[in-house]
Amino acid sequence: QKEVEQNSGPLSVPEGAIASLNCTYSDRGSQSFFWYRQYSGKSPELIMFIYSNGDKEDGRFTAQLNKASQYVSLLIRDSQPSDSATYLCAVKGNTGGFKTIFGAGTRLFVKA
Amino acid sequence: NAGVTQTPKFQVLKTGQSMTLQCAQDMNHNSMYWYRQDPGMGLRLIYYSASEGTTDKGEVPNGYNVSRLNKREFSLRLESAAPSQTSVYFCASSEAPGQTYEQYFGPGTRLTVT
């Protein structure tokens, strides 16, 4: 079992819709969860982080964490074509030097 | 601030050649990382340096060596390149190795080994 799993996609949504990206992780001791956006040919950039169970909102983005289910998600409201990118879920454990484990990413395509 | 810079941006090597990828950050971060990214594999940690003077192996360290030259610079060396090392290499830094600190990435080096 991969340590951090994401559906590779592509996930295709129409402009203005809500895009829902999901991630599961295997290490129950994980404490920190990050969502990075990566445009084609570019480097990852952080868009959200969450440490506590529940929801965290930042503009059009909402991160949701459920530690009991080992599940973290990212909702993008009012999706725009500029949101088309690969979204990487990253999980940081509490051992081994706090190494960050990345999922393989979900490709999102927002149709105009 | 330039953030995290990497050189070179592109490189083609023949099997058996060696090279060093350079990384520098100007954010006064303590921790630095080297990742490789292959299609469908996500980012995999090669080596990291939690603080100046320390380095540790990550998930895929074989075939690589690193040097934390000072607080700003962290280099990755391929002693004898192999086609399996064809990848995109990203350097990253974070304020500290602790759980709450996110990583900032450089622009990447695209390496092809023929």
Side-chain angles (χ1 to χ4, degrees):
Chain A
Q1 181 191 4
K2 289 184 182 176
E3 294 182 71
V4 178
E5 294 212 47
Q6 297 181 254
N7 187 320
S8 62
L11 173 65
S12 184
V13 300
E15 183 175 0
I18 296 175
S20 178
L21 305 163
N22 305 315
C23 173
T24 58
Y25 60 95
S26 60
D27 181 2
R28 281 201 170 274
S30 299
Q31 298 292 325
S32 308
F33 307 87
F34 305 86
W35 282 100
Y36 287 83
R37 177 176 62 202
Q38 187 176 25
Y39 292 113
S40 181
K42 301 296 185 182
S43 57
E45 55 178 334
L46 181 74
I47 52 172
M48 288 284 291
F49 60 87
I50 186 167
Y51 309 132
S52 304
N53 273 330
D55 294 2
K56 179 181 178 182
E57 188 173 316
D58 184 0
R60 296 187 296 113
F61 299 97
T62 299
Q64 299 175 317
L65 176 61
N66 183 327
K67 289 185 179 179
S69 300
Q70 295 174 244
Y71 175 93
V72 58
S73 65
L74 179 70
L75 301 178
I76 306 174
R77 289 183 300 281
D78 188 24
S79 295
Q80 301 297 310
S82 59
D83 294 325
S84 298
T86 296
Y87 290 80
L88 305 174
C89 173
V91 176
K92 190 175 271 194
N94 59 2
T95 58
F98 306 105
K99 286 180 242 184
T100 302
I101 307 297
F102 285 82
T106 299
R107 285 181 55 213
L108 173 66
F109 180 61
V110 181
K111 297 174 291 185
Chain B
N1 284 354
V4 180
T5 57
Q6 292 182 237
T7 55
K9 286 189 169 54
F10 301 92
Q11 184 71 49
V12 179
L13 290 178
K14 294 187 189 308
T15 297
Q17 288 185 318
S18 62
M19 78 161 296
T20 299
L21 281 64
Q22 306 286 353
C23 174
Q25 52 90 9
D26 62 2
M27 295 176 281
N28 200 35
H29 284 172
N30 289 297
S31 303
M32 297 185 73
Y33 313 82
W34 276 105
Y35 293 91
R36 60 177 289 172
Q37 187 174 37
D38 302 295
M41 301 288 291
L43 288 157
R44 291 184 292 169
L45 184 65
I46 304 171
Y47 271 94
Y48 68 102
S49 172
S51 60
E52 187 179 357
T54 68
T55 60
D56 285 287
K57 294 178 181 179
E59 184 184 355
V60 288
N62 291 345
Y64 306 94
N65 283 300
V66 291
S67 295
R68 184 73 183 266
L69 303 169
N70 47 55
K71 191 172 185 179
R72 288 188 63 247
E73 298 171 289
F74 189 39
S75 63
L76 178 72
R77 182 160 179 84
L78 287 70
E79 291 292 350
S80 179
S84 60
Q85 294 178 304
T86 293
S87 188
V88 180
Y89 292 84
F90 288 103
C91 177
S93 70
S94 66
E95 187 173 338
Q99 291 190 15
T100 59
Y101 298 105
E102 67 268 29
Q103 296 178 22
Y104 297 84
F105 287 83
T109 294
R110 283 148 184 81
L111 175 67
T112 301
V113 183
T114 61

